[in-house]
Amino acid sequence: MNALLLASAFAFAAALSPRPQTEVPPPHPHGPVPSPRQLRWHERELYGFLHFTTNTFTDREWGYGDEDPVVFAPTDFDADQIAGVAVEAGMAGLILTGKHHDGFCLWPSALTDHDVAASPWREGKGDVVREIAEACRRRGLAFGVYLSPWDRHHADYGRPAYVDYFRAQLRELLTGYGPIFEVWFDGANGGDGYYGGARETRRIDPSTYYGWDETIALVRALQPDACIFSDFGPDVRWVGNEDGIAGDPCWAAYTPLPRDGETVAAPGTTRTWEGTSGHRDGERWIPAEADVSIRPGWFYHAAEDEAVKSPAQLVDLYYASVGRGASLLLNLPPDRRGQIHANDVAALRGFRAILAATFAADLARGARASASAVRGDHPAYGPENVLDGDLDTYWATDDGVAQASLVLELPAGREWNVLSLREHLPLGQRVDQWAVDVWRDGAWAEIAHGTAIGARRLWRGEHQSAPKIRLRIVQAAACPAIAELSVHAEPRRP
Ligand code: FUL
């Protein structure tokens, strides 16, 4: 074989071999692991919620269902302003309330007259869902939809015919607007409403009425890459509060269980409070999403213009959600113009400025990494993998070595106060307890400890310039697989 042939044979073999290129096999996954659609969802971390409907114009949070569509009259709707604000805030996507509990549809539906086509906006030719979806696409944002199962307008709510209507609505939304990254199902169900003029209270059995198995199958068939959110999952679970705060710990594994008095776990019947921390030994990978509004209400109310959360409050929420392995779904309600209000824009810019200054640089880059143990003593699993910004590479130890430590020696003069830890998610959540020490006055001193790591664990403390950082895996259900240990400095508060 001549040299050229030999070289190309080697190149061919290298191209075929999977990463990491090593004879030391990777660890086996532990417990439930994320599906490919969930892995893509984990990359998003922070995205926005848009609550917009007739409520915006009637100053309500829950419309009764008898609102006249003519009240829906944004004066200067601008989807690009909304999507632009989300991009500036560092968001990866937007989820729009296609239909809230009042039943008014933000898209011209062939299934009802209770929609934007009956409003004066754009002379009845408008489509909020399309404009937002297209603005997202133009700006590289993912797009998702909220479709309220409860419908206080529909005459058949509570009867089988409404479930057919609900599924047909889903079909319109999931076939007409391109790729959808998340489908959001609220747990609020049944109660009083207009119901086609009946004006009465209707109760449904949330575990059986909607036939969720069929509805979930429909979403899978129409948008196989979409994650489905509800208090039940099946892909993403509610964190159990509307404060944007995940539990500490917040395990990705979860077994949705029915509340007392309910027989079946389904959207609206689960023990929502258990979603806050999840279950260490949960049966399924159903990570938490923490939803919260930038204002007190979910919809825009002029009376709340001075009650917008401050940049520092938003940053705290980021650490309490993304920093605990959940995602942060931050609601930005469009105002009566159909744009994000200037006060919200200012708060979001301040929020982004702090996060950008914190995370723009990884102060661990250039550090020397060493570890007490490395899987098979092979560099493919070496400690420097936590520094490369690549979540597909990780530091791992041999099977059965659940306690281990990794030391970073930082280049001189680095001042920091934030640490970011991540596990390699395709191998499941392995770490049960970790601690971090710093080298101070000639000895190791513990500055932090915790339990879950999972998708991400952020730690924030006092600014310091300790030159050495030691991560200790104190307890793990299987040998650790740590994808990231990065080091950051928040801008000092004035
Ligand atoms: C709740 C709803 O009842 C609120 O109106 C809002 O949509 C929030 C995100 O979910 O359960």
Side-chain angles (χ1 to χ4, degrees):
M1 198 184 275
N2 69 31
L4 194 65
L5 265 181
L6 199 64
S8 57
F10 273 125
F12 182 65
L16 277 185
S17 55
R19 290 173 68 196
Q21 291 175 23
T22 165
E23 61 283 1
V24 180
H28 289 293
H30 171 77
V33 294
S35 64
R37 73 169 79 88
Q38 288 173 316
L39 274 177
R40 277 192 295 278
W41 174 90
H42 274 293
E43 289 168 14
R44 302 219 149 92
E45 293 192 340
L46 167 70
Y47 39 91
F49 218 176
L50 300 175
H51 274 70
F52 192 43
T53 187
T54 50
N55 291 344
T56 311
F57 304 89
T58 56
D59 225 2
R60 303 185 70 168
E61 278 289 303
W62 280 11
Y64 187 70
D66 61 352
E67 294 73 25
D68 189 331
V70 303
V71 303
F72 185 81
T75 54
D76 192 12
F77 180 75
D78 187 347
D80 280 301
Q81 189 264 0
I82 295 169
V85 169
V87 170
E88 264 195 87
M91 292 177 165
L94 283 172
I95 298 177
L96 171 68
T97 53
K99 179 190 79 169
H100 202 248
H101 309 328
D102 54 85
F104 179 77
C105 299
L106 290 185
W107 76 103
S109 171
L111 306 160
T112 179
D113 295 334
H114 198 59
D115 63 3
V116 277
S119 84
W121 178 66
R122 305 243 196 279
E123 280 134 20
K125 305 229 165 13
D127 185 341
V128 177
V129 178
R130 182 163 315 284
E131 291 196 31
I132 294 287
E134 288 177 355
C136 282
R137 223 78 73 206
R138 279 194 289 278
R139 286 165 192 270
L141 294 171
F143 177 63
V145 288
Y146 169 120
L147 186 71
S148 171
W150 184 24
D151 189 319
R152 302 174 94 189
H153 175 80
H154 204 277
D156 284 325
Y157 183 77
R159 304 183 190 121
Y162 168 76
V163 179
D164 295 339
Y165 170 77
F166 177 64
R167 291 195 186 128
Q169 287 190 309
L170 261 182
R171 186 175 285 280
E172 286 189 337
L173 287 171
L174 302 186
T175 56
Y177 298 94
I180 301 288
F181 87 100
E182 185 169 317
V183 180
W184 216 93
F185 293 127
D186 194 90
N189 269 306
D192 65 330
Y194 174 69
Y195 304 129
R199 297 184 182 278
E200 61 188 12
T201 296
R202 292 187 183 173
R203 303 248 168 255
I204 52 106
D205 175 351
S207 56
T208 54
Y209 176 56
Y210 295 104
W212 280 112
D213 287 351
E214 212 175 301
T215 302
I216 289 166
L218 179 68
V219 177
R220 295 283 189 245
L222 299 176
Q223 292 275 348
D225 293 337
C227 277
I228 301 173
F229 165 97
S230 80
D231 54 290
F232 164 85
D235 302 308
V236 179
R237 73 177 194 264
W238 186 39
V239 79
N241 63 66
E242 293 184 341
D243 305 324
I245 298 178
D248 184 7
C250 183
W251 303 102
Y254 190 52
T255 308
L257 296 170
R259 283 193 295 272
D260 285 352
E262 302 283 357
T263 46
V264 178
T269 72
T270 69
R271 305 176 189 177
T272 53
W273 56 93
E274 294 189 0
T276 308
S277 279
H279 302 129
R280 175 60 182 121
D281 296 316
E283 285 164 13
R284 287 148 53 191
W285 188 275
I286 313 179
E289 177 184 272
D291 57 330
V292 64
S293 185
I294 193 168
R295 290 161 169 253
W298 291 102
F299 287 91
Y300 174 82
H301 309 289
E304 295 179 351
D305 282 350
E306 303 308 320
V308 175
K309 290 182 176 62
S310 68
Q313 283 175 305
L314 295 173
V315 169
D316 287 349
L317 291 176
Y318 183 86
Y319 281 88
S321 54
V322 174
R324 294 176 183 169
S327 66
L328 176 57
L329 172 58
L330 179 60
N331 183 60
L332 324 168
D335 60 17
R336 288 185 181 180
R337 293 172 307 164
Q339 298 187 26
I340 307 302
H341 188 274
N343 293 2
D344 309 47
V345 173
L348 290 164
R349 283 192 181 136
F351 163 70
R352 177 44 46 188
I354 295 169
L355 291 186
T358 306
F359 293 104
D362 176 3
L363 301 174
R365 287 290 163 89
R368 223 175 67 84
S370 55
S372 63
V374 170
R375 187 175 187 78
D377 283 326
H378 199 287
Y381 303 104
E384 53 288 339
N385 287 338
V386 304
L387 299 173
D388 63 6
D390 179 354
L391 301 183
D392 289 336
T393 66
Y394 52 89
W395 164 58
T397 57
D398 284 330
D399 295 344
V401 179
Q403 293 182 337
S405 60
L406 182 155
V407 173
L408 295 183
E409 287 175 57
L410 300 183
R414 303 250 158 123
E415 199 195 55
W416 54 274
N417 78 319
V418 172
L419 299 172
S420 175
L421 287 165
R422 300 183 200 252
E423 286 183 83
H424 181 63
L425 295 185
L427 296 180
Q429 212 163 345
R430 310 167 75 86
V431 174
D432 284 292
Q433 262 188 63
W434 56 271
V436 169
D437 311 314
V438 294
W439 188 254
R440 193 185 287 153
D441 303 327
W444 289 112
E446 183 177 306
I447 57 162
H449 63 264
T451 53
I453 297 178
R456 199 161 187 198
R457 176 66 213 209
L458 291 172
W459 173 86
R460 179 161 67 144
E462 296 298 315
H463 284 81
Q464 54 189 298
S465 47
K468 285 202 275 183
I469 300 171
R470 180 170 72 177
L471 168 66
R472 269 183 293 127
I473 304 303
V474 180
Q475 195 188 321
C479 69
I482 306 295
E484 175 177 287
L485 168 54
S486 62
V487 180
H488 307 273
E490 275 192 301
R492 286 179 185 273
R493 295 192 190 187

